[in-house]
Amino acid sequence: MKKYISWRWRVAYIALIGLVLQIVHRNCISVALICMTESNSGILQKINESELNISKTLVNDLLQIEEQYRIDWDSITQGLVLSSYFYGQIISPLISGFVCRKFGVRWPMSIYTLISSVSLMLIPVASEVNVTVVIVLRIIQGFLGSGCLPMFAHLWTQWTPVHERSQLISFTFSGLDLGVIIAFASSGWLCSIPVHNGWPFIFYTFGAVSFLWMILWCVFVTDTPKCHAWISEKEKQYIIGDNIESNLTTDNSKKDTVPWISILTSGPVWAMATAMFTVAWGMTVVFSYLPRYMNDVLDFDIHKNGLMSSLPFAGKTISVIVIGVLTDKLIKSRILNITHIRKINQCT
């Protein structure tokens, strides 16, 4: 129990929340688009007028009010809005890697989150102006959100003892799936707010929460345990003494050069790239278009849609955490070597 209230695990909790919010920035629009392009008050047309005990005129007035906040985008335009986030992802991890090496993680992460949150909160206004503005904002968000992933990985090169690395990394990156669950489930609820069709609250709520997280990150997280104000000397030595990367000086890190030719001609690198491509293809289709499928084909209401769309990612979240713990136990017991364990995990 003492381990889980240590500062390295407190950093992990903050990092997890941050990654969850970045994924929410990416995926909340999948549910929001349903509310943006379809009037919530349309359900009034399906309910018997006598059951509502209101006049036909009032029903029509409600429909007209809600219609003002419906965005008239066809399926091709919606596809562009959904996919535009990924245009910004193509080169950002590469750039983010250089940023981490030069400036660390603490302040670049704060700046990335700030700009991404502002972009998210501007989407309701931008959608009223022009879809091109929304696409540009989504590209910016994609560049920043994808750029945060290498930052979290870089953070753990400094903050993890070897025997806890799989746990801490898998715990943090479980936010990739937990973020989708929260995005889908909560967006379905926010969409039902009877003001402006509900959907602007999705962007405002998550943008505001991200601002609060950014303050938490700046106050309690540092680039390395060496410069943390509240960590005990015992824990600091435990992390640094068991961590090769932590023992490298900043100057030596800056002098390192990236061996691009070796990277681009490496079989393992291309194997990893292929594995990530195939997994990302399937998951992108699911988290981008499953809510629309649930709505258009299966005819689920917005509450049930959000919950049902989140279930695949609930299963992934559980498996990532469990596999991280089991992997660390196998490594520590030396039953299998690290290479075999990684391959078994990947293939499974």
Side-chain angles (χ1 to χ4, degrees):
M1 183 63 189
K2 188 177 180 181
K3 178 176 75 172
Y4 297 108
I5 59 173
S6 64
W7 269 106
R8 61 189 181 279
W9 275 91
R10 293 179 198 181
V11 169
Y13 304 142
I14 296 172
L16 172 67
I17 297 170
L19 186 54
V20 164
L21 289 170
Q22 285 298 335
I23 299 306
V24 169
H25 284 204
R26 180 186 71 188
N27 291 111
C28 64
I29 200 166
S30 298
V31 176
L33 273 175
I34 297 171
C35 305
M36 293 168 74
T37 56
E38 295 182 11
S39 174
N40 289 342
S41 292
I43 194 171
L44 291 174
Q45 297 173 321
K46 301 177 184 179
I47 301 177
N48 187 286
E49 190 175 311
S50 61
E51 292 176 354
L52 290 171
N53 197 28
I54 56 176
S55 68
K56 187 175 181 179
T57 302
L58 182 54
V59 172
N60 290 332
D61 288 343
L62 288 171
L63 290 169
Q64 289 177 8
I65 292 171
E66 292 296 318
E67 188 69 19
Q68 295 175 8
Y69 301 103
R70 189 177 72 84
I71 309 299
D72 189 19
W73 290 343
D74 59 26
S75 60
I76 295 176
T77 303
Q78 291 179 47
L80 285 172
V81 171
L82 285 171
S83 62
S84 57
Y85 185 97
F86 304 99
Y87 303 159
Q89 285 191 326
I90 298 172
I91 61 170
S92 63
L94 211 58
I95 295 173
S96 181
F98 285 113
V99 171
C100 288
R101 287 163 63 85
K102 190 171 180 62
F103 301 106
V105 175
R106 185 186 189 187
W107 295 114
M109 181 76 79
S110 301
I111 295 169
Y112 273 42
T113 303
L114 174 64
I115 299 173
S116 180
S117 300
V118 170
S119 300
L120 183 71
M121 296 177 78
L122 285 175
I123 287 177
V125 177
S127 62
E128 301 283 350
V129 178
N130 193 292
V131 68
T132 304
V133 182
V134 177
I135 291 172
V136 170
L137 289 172
R138 292 278 293 166
I139 291 173
I140 293 171
Q141 282 192 284
F143 179 87
L144 298 169
S146 183
C148 286
L149 295 179
M151 292 186 186
F152 286 116
H154 184 81
L155 178 74
W156 291 124
T157 64
Q158 301 296 322
W159 270 92
T160 52
V162 172
H163 294 307
E164 291 182 26
R165 178 161 296 179
S166 293
Q167 290 181 58
L168 287 162
I169 291 176
S170 62
F171 178 80
T172 301
F173 282 92
S174 67
L176 292 169
D177 300 312
L178 189 57
V180 182
I181 296 171
I182 292 173
F184 285 172
S186 57
S187 294
W189 178 78
L190 289 168
C191 257
S192 66
I193 296 176
V195 179
H196 295 191
N197 260 11
W199 60 265
F201 291 98
I202 295 174
F203 304 104
Y204 297 147
T205 300
F206 293 130
V209 172
S210 298
F211 281 124
L212 296 175
W213 175 85
M214 188 178 63
I215 295 171
L216 198 67
W217 173 269
C218 291
V219 173
F220 294 110
V221 177
T222 57
D223 291 325
T224 69
K226 293 178 182 178
C227 52
H228 199 278
W230 300 296
I231 192 172
S232 69
E233 192 63 31
K234 182 179 179 181
E235 184 181 0
K236 187 187 299 184
Q237 290 306 316
Y238 173 67
I239 296 171
I240 296 172
D242 198 26
N243 190 330
I244 297 172
E245 289 90 344
S246 294
N247 291 306
L248 295 174
T249 65
T250 306
D251 291 337
N252 286 336
S253 298
K254 288 182 179 179
K255 290 178 182 177
D256 289 342
T257 56
V258 180
W260 287 113
I261 294 177
S262 297
I263 290 173
L264 295 175
T265 56
S266 168
V269 168
W270 285 104
M272 283 293 293
T274 304
M276 289 302 297
F277 178 87
T278 54
V279 171
W281 181 291
M283 294 314 301
T284 301
V285 170
V286 171
F287 63 60
S288 294
Y289 293 100
L290 186 58
R292 174 57 68 180
Y293 181 83
M294 292 281 189
N295 181 77
D296 293 353
V297 179
L298 301 182
D299 201 27
F300 286 161
D301 63 51
I302 197 65
H303 291 285
K304 190 178 290 184
N305 188 334
L307 291 172
M308 293 294 288
S309 297
S310 70
L311 289 180
F313 302 93
K316 285 182 85 253
T317 302
I318 294 168
S319 69
V320 166
I321 294 174
V322 170
I323 288 172
V325 173
L326 290 176
T327 297
D328 277 340
K329 287 185 180 298
L330 286 171
I331 291 172
K332 200 168 184 178
S333 66
R334 301 176 187 265
I335 295 174
L336 294 169
N337 65 40
I338 294 178
T339 300
H340 289 151
I341 292 171
R342 302 296 184 207
K343 288 183 176 181
I344 289 169
N345 285 350
Q346 182 64 38
C347 292
T348 303

